[in-house]
Amino acid sequence: MDPSEKKAVKVAVIGSGLAGLTSAYLLSQNEKFEPHIFEKGEKLGMDAASISVGSKEKFRVDMSYYSHLLRLYQHLNISFIPAKFSFGWYRIRAPFNNNNDNTAIDGNSHEQLYIPTDQAASETVNESQLTYSGSRTIGMLESPESRANNFNEYLYEIYLSCWKLYIVSVSYLWLMGLALWLHHRGHLKNRDHVIYRMTLGDWFRCHRFHPYFVHDIFIPLFAAVCTNSWKSMLDYPAVDVLEYMAVGLFQESFVVSGGVRHIVDRLASPLQHIHLQTCIVSIKPSSIPGYKLELQDASGQLHYFHHVIFATQGNQALNILQQCRTHLNKNNNDKDNDNVYDTLSKDIESASDVLRQFRYDKAIVVNHTDTRLLPSNPKSWRSLNLASLDSSVQLSAKNDVTIPFPHDTTMTTHILTMTHNTNQVLKEHLDGDDIYMQTTNPCISPLPEKILSKAWFERATVTLTSKKAIFDGLFTPLDSQNVTSSLQLGRCQGNSGIWFVGSYCWPGIPLLEGCVASSEKVVSEGIALAEGITMEVPW
């Protein structure tokens, strides 16, 4: 076919996570568009870190929240079921001194343990602190089983447990009361309100929350949810976390019964142009009439398009754009197209200025069967097990499956099948069967022979600066007093045919909801409108 012959509006989608797949799927629903997905990996990205559990692909677990995502799942006829997630907080400590005094109960009498990271799991004591069972926001707190050796220790243990339960319960009720009040008054959506300029750490200090609740319970939990460091969570915009708490009250959490692979298959089924192991390295104005952009991949092959959607992390999009701008400046020898090259270069630099405002935390996810990473007492196991490394443990060596010093994040171990059947997991453990787990940001490493897979990645973290960048350049609110209900495409969207989607560029905590919502906005109100095509989101 003559490449100058235009039969459809060609759109390149760089990245195949949920944002990329949703964008391509939406475009494929109209015959006037021809979407192409470019993925540098061997398979579509949304499934890259998944594992199969059992002899059949019985469970491939993914939590889902909020309206855009659930409507998409319903449209795709994806079956999902409510899941009762439970949490457990525990500390990875050195063994106790055998002095039989009360300090052994509260953890202040531990030997100092200096040990290589890959040997630590065999020597440490993973001591449960608190457990929670129920829905996402309403449930029951419990203290761990007693380990007292005498009556005095038993009394002290009761006192300590009651103190912890009191602090956590009162602090949580105070937090929810404030969050619901702020949500009801509309302050969490009002850019002019003082809370919009507060970090989560500022807000906790302003309202005098107890340090135990903040630093031992809440921040480790949300660091696990957001896959960020504890410092990053304290620097989070307060409104994003409080809105998440207020909107999520009484809502269920869900798991997809068919798993991630099922979602990928449904979204990819209408797509006719999927380019795997194809890395885009250059973008410049098209040399072929009728097209706007010319993309070059790492093999040197050229691809011609009218629009490009970046469905990658912001820093990955920034790297590609910076390479493109350098290439444009070095290779613009076509004097007849100076204006086109200059315009594209300026648009790329404008978008790059916005993307530079985002910050990232490096993280690793390890799929494995090593139960030594769980609390030492199996009765304290929960579906999500949240660990922090105690100062009594000093790790002396690095490896490629653990987060390096200073370990300022939560080691989160998800027992995959416990989301569905807790008693069955404990029975399998007693019977000697493998328990399948996914640990994010381990500070102690599983045995090499029990590791099924591992993957390093970078996770966007939200700051007051990045939130301002979203509103200024990517998705801009028309009404400063009701930002989430008045979003329109920002000034960096669509310039020279370049668009941005993904969880990082949508307001709020970067979860799957933002992937779907940003894709809907860009495709239906951006690309379709630019081409004069009427398009409605089909869900």
Side-chain angles (χ1 to χ4, degrees):
M1 183 184 73
D2 184 352
S4 65
E5 182 181 354
K6 179 179 175 182
K7 287 191 174 182
V9 177
K10 294 182 64 178
V11 181
V13 181
I14 302 176
S16 66
L18 182 59
L21 287 171
T22 302
S23 298
Y25 179 88
L26 278 170
L27 290 165
S28 72
Q29 302 305 292
N30 190 309
E31 61 183 7
K32 296 180 180 179
F33 290 106
E34 183 185 307
H36 289 241
I37 279 192
F38 292 89
E39 168 57 48
K40 66 181 180 180
E42 296 180 354
K43 57 182 178 179
L44 296 176
M46 189 180 178
D47 199 36
S50 300
I51 61 169
S52 299
V53 179
S55 57
K56 299 179 180 179
E57 293 194 6
K58 192 173 183 179
F59 300 112
R60 295 167 77 89
V61 181
D62 184 38
M63 293 173 65
S64 54
Y65 307 100
Y66 303 140
S67 57
H68 292 271
L69 186 65
L70 293 180
R71 287 200 298 267
L72 170 63
Y73 284 0
Q74 290 167 343
H75 168 78
L76 297 173
N77 292 320
I78 300 292
S79 58
F80 48 91
I81 56 177
K84 295 295 183 181
F85 282 93
S86 56
F87 312 120
W89 290 262
Y90 64 106
R91 292 189 72 82
I92 300 172
R93 286 175 164 160
F96 296 106
N97 282 330
N98 295 319
N99 54 9
N100 291 327
D101 62 16
N102 288 342
T103 59
I105 295 298
D106 67 7
N108 292 326
S109 183
H110 291 263
E111 299 176 356
Q112 283 292 317
L113 181 64
Y114 298 89
I115 192 169
T117 302
D118 56 0
Q119 299 176 24
S122 298
E123 301 295 333
T124 54
V125 175
N126 297 347
E127 182 183 291
S128 178
Q129 302 292 300
L130 204 64
T131 59
Y132 170 89
S133 301
S135 67
R136 191 147 58 95
T137 49
I138 299 296
M140 180 174 64
L141 286 170
E142 297 177 279
S143 293
E145 285 190 344
S146 172
R147 53 182 176 80
N149 296 313
N150 55 53
F151 184 69
N152 287 338
E153 287 187 4
Y154 181 69
L155 287 179
Y156 183 77
E157 193 177 67
I158 291 177
Y159 161 75
L160 193 62
S161 296
C162 290
W163 179 84
K164 289 180 179 179
L165 291 173
Y166 171 78
I167 292 297
V168 174
S169 300
V170 171
S171 298
Y172 177 75
L173 291 174
W174 177 230
L175 170 65
M176 287 306 305
L178 289 172
L180 289 170
W181 182 80
L182 290 166
H183 176 73
H184 173 71
R185 297 286 294 175
H187 298 326
L188 300 180
K189 298 180 180 180
N190 184 356
R191 290 186 75 183
D192 299 327
H193 194 273
V194 65
I195 196 173
Y196 238 86
R197 299 185 291 275
M198 296 179 72
T199 67
L200 184 60
D202 292 337
W203 189 81
F204 275 136
R205 286 188 292 271
C206 177
H207 293 281
R208 300 181 181 276
F209 277 82
H210 196 283
Y212 174 75
F213 175 76
V214 174
H215 298 290
D216 288 61
I217 302 298
F218 192 86
I219 292 300
L221 174 59
F222 265 79
V225 171
C226 300
T227 326
N228 288 136
S229 69
W230 298 328
K231 182 183 184 304
S232 293
M233 286 312 309
L234 290 170
D235 290 341
Y236 240 73
V239 293
D240 288 346
V241 176
L242 295 174
E243 181 76 3
Y244 179 91
M245 296 293 293
V247 172
L249 188 64
F250 304 120
Q251 283 193 358
E252 292 280 5
S253 294
F254 296 91
V255 293
V256 177
S257 57
V260 175
R261 182 73 262 161
H262 194 42
I263 302 169
V264 171
D265 290 343
R266 291 290 178 87
L267 287 171
S269 61
L271 306 181
Q272 300 179 13
H273 307 281
I274 297 176
H275 309 270
L276 298 177
Q277 296 181 284
T278 305
C279 182
I280 299 300
V281 297
S282 173
I283 301 175
K284 65 179 183 179
S286 173
S287 59
I288 300 295
Y291 293 99
K292 185 177 293 184
L293 297 167
E294 177 183 292
L295 279 62
Q296 182 176 340
D297 63 33
S299 69
Q301 184 175 352
L302 301 179
H303 310 266
Y304 298 92
F305 291 95
H306 302 94
H307 300 272
V308 174
I309 299 176
F310 279 94
T312 64
Q313 282 279 27
N315 56 345
Q316 297 172 4
L318 178 61
N319 289 337
I320 296 174
L321 289 175
Q322 287 300 97
Q323 292 176 22
C324 295
R325 189 165 185 267
T326 301
H327 182 78
L328 286 173
N329 293 337
K330 287 183 178 180
N331 296 280
N332 181 15
N333 298 317
D334 187 351
K335 301 301 181 182
D336 294 334
N337 289 318
D338 271 354
N339 290 337
V340 177
Y341 273 78
D342 287 345
T343 299
L344 179 57
S345 181
K346 289 177 182 178
D347 290 340
I348 286 176
E349 185 57 29
S350 177
S352 297
D353 286 341
V354 171
L355 296 178
R356 289 190 190 100
Q357 307 307 311
F358 293 87
R359 200 171 76 191
Y360 299 85
D361 284 338
K362 195 171 184 178
I364 181 174
V365 58
V366 181
N367 296 305
H368 63 95
T369 59
D370 192 347
T371 57
R372 298 178 308 157
L373 273 63
L374 294 170
S376 298
N377 185 350
K379 292 183 179 179
S380 297
W381 293 359
R382 295 296 183 266
S383 61
L384 289 176
N385 301 275
L386 314 173
S388 56
L389 189 67
D390 191 71
S391 59
S392 63
V393 179
Q394 300 294 322
L395 304 178
S396 60
K398 300 178 181 178
N399 62 29
D400 62 349
V401 293
T402 57
I403 287 292
F405 182 84
H407 312 292
D408 60 337
T409 189
T410 306
M411 182 179 91
T412 308
T413 299
H414 182 188
I415 304 178
L416 297 177
T417 51
M418 189 172 273
T419 306
H420 308 268
N421 192 332
T422 301
N423 293 330
Q424 180 63 26
V425 168
L426 296 178
K427 181 179 182 299
E428 289 174 355
H429 174 65
L430 293 174
D431 291 343
D433 295 336
D434 284 336
I435 306 297
Y436 291 90
M437 291 159 284
Q438 185 174 85
T439 297
T440 304
N441 291 334
C443 52
I444 56 177
S445 60
L447 289 170
E449 61 268 24
K450 291 183 176 289
I451 294 176
L452 305 175
S453 66
K454 62 184 178 183
W456 285 90
F457 61 96
E458 288 185 305
R459 175 74 163 172
T461 179
V462 186
T463 64
L464 294 176
T465 300
S466 69
K467 192 174 184 69
K468 182 177 183 297
I470 291 172
F471 288 151
D472 288 348
L474 297 173
F475 293 95
T476 303
L478 290 174
D479 183 357
S480 65
Q481 297 187 352
N482 189 7
V483 295
T484 55
S485 300
S486 63
L487 290 174
Q488 65 175 359
L489 294 170
R491 61 180 174 83
C492 293
Q493 296 279 21
N495 296 333
S496 296
I498 297 174
W499 309 82
F500 302 91
V501 298
S503 62
Y504 78 93
C505 64
W506 189 257
I509 295 176
L511 297 173
L512 296 180
E513 173 77 0
C515 295
V516 179
S518 61
S519 297
E520 293 174 2
K521 203 81 172 175
V522 161
V523 172
S524 63
E525 299 181 22
I527 296 175
L529 190 63
E531 295 295 336
I533 298 172
T534 302
M535 172 177 283
E536 293 185 3
V537 177
W539 49 81

